[in-house]
Amino acid sequence: MGNVYRPFYTMKDEHGEPILGPDGNRKRFPSKNWGIWFTDANGRTIRRTAGTTKAQARDALRKAEAEVLDEKGGLTTCHAADLTCRDLVRDYLEERRPHVCEAHLKGLKQRLEDALAGCRAAYANQLTTDTVERFLAGLEEKGKSPRTVNSYLVSLRGMFNWAVRTRRLPYNPLLAVARRSEAEKRRRPRPLTEDE
């Protein structure tokens, strides 16, 4: 499927003419870097620089071939470190637009943007269980009700579930974040006074 190679190049003299060897042919020099070539999932030949040793190039080739097999098999090849939160939110909202009303979409967008700003997350891999837990705890400290706190968690989880379904991410890191209990702060009805 692919191979490791060491490219060669020809040097030129100060006049721009190639340097010739004793036999009259161009003198070729090995490159200090090794390269790989492989066929991607679409059948195109890809060439890349892969390291300064043959072992590094072999490892890079194995990794590239594994990613091609994953892509052919329908598995995700996108890494969370490469996926920006802004792109993830934009694509998720576009997918939700036909299914919800404009007011719901506006609220969803606001909750997601607030959560990303509160977690200080620019890339998807920065939205971890710990960062989201700290953000939700901060909302509770500000006096937000458990129902409001849960709405932020539900919005984030929905976006990550969609990203897993569409194979943008391999798993949802927020499944371990527990919902807040809404029964604790629920107001108990009191009996009416005689004046009321």
Side-chain angles (χ1 to χ4, degrees):
M1 198 158 125
N3 206 348
V4 173
Y5 68 96
R6 189 164 196 178
F8 285 83
Y9 63 94
T10 57
M11 289 185 72
K12 296 183 179 179
D13 61 16
E14 61 273 359
H15 304 294
E17 296 294 322
I19 297 175
L20 302 177
D23 57 356
N25 293 329
R26 291 182 178 186
K27 198 166 182 186
R28 297 178 58 192
F29 299 91
S31 172
K32 65 178 180 177
N33 293 320
W34 285 78
I36 60 171
W37 69 265
F38 61 95
T39 306
D40 70 1
N42 299 320
R44 294 177 300 192
T45 300
I46 307 293
R47 294 182 186 276
R48 290 186 190 157
T49 302
T52 56
T53 65
K54 192 172 186 177
Q56 289 174 340
R58 281 193 190 124
D59 289 342
L61 179 62
R62 273 195 289 274
K63 183 177 177 187
E65 288 177 339
E67 287 176 358
V68 169
L69 289 175
D70 286 347
E71 189 172 351
K72 283 183 177 179
L75 298 176
T76 180
T77 57
C78 181
H79 301 288
D82 301 331
L83 186 60
T84 65
C85 291
R86 180 178 293 152
D87 291 343
L88 192 62
V89 169
R90 183 196 64 224
D91 294 345
Y92 177 59
L93 293 174
E94 281 305 311
E95 190 276 333
R96 295 303 304 150
R97 186 176 302 281
H99 307 290
V100 298
C101 68
E102 199 59 38
H104 178 82
L105 195 68
K106 185 178 177 184
L108 179 62
K109 180 181 180 186
Q110 188 63 52
R111 284 191 299 277
L112 289 172
E113 288 175 351
D114 290 348
L116 295 177
C119 294
R120 296 186 186 131
Y123 292 91
N125 67 334
Q126 294 171 333
L127 278 171
T128 62
T129 303
D130 294 336
T131 58
V132 172
E133 281 283 5
R134 280 195 297 271
F135 168 70
L136 297 178
L139 291 176
E140 288 175 319
E141 288 173 9
K142 291 178 184 174
K144 301 289 184 187
S145 71
R147 188 174 191 169
T148 302
V149 173
N150 285 338
S151 71
Y152 283 93
L153 178 59
V154 167
S155 298
L156 286 169
R157 267 194 196 161
M159 181 176 71
F160 272 94
N161 285 336
W162 167 81
V164 171
R165 233 181 10 259
T166 57
R167 295 186 175 138
R168 284 170 168 79
L169 293 173
Y171 67 96
N172 184 345
L174 305 183
L175 292 177
V177 180
R179 289 175 64 125
R180 281 19 185 197
S181 174
E182 296 180 21
E184 296 169 5
K185 288 195 174 181
R186 193 173 284 163
R187 286 189 186 150
R188 302 193 134 217
R190 63 174 177 76
L192 297 174
T193 62
E194 287 193 23
D195 294 336
E196 290 171 332

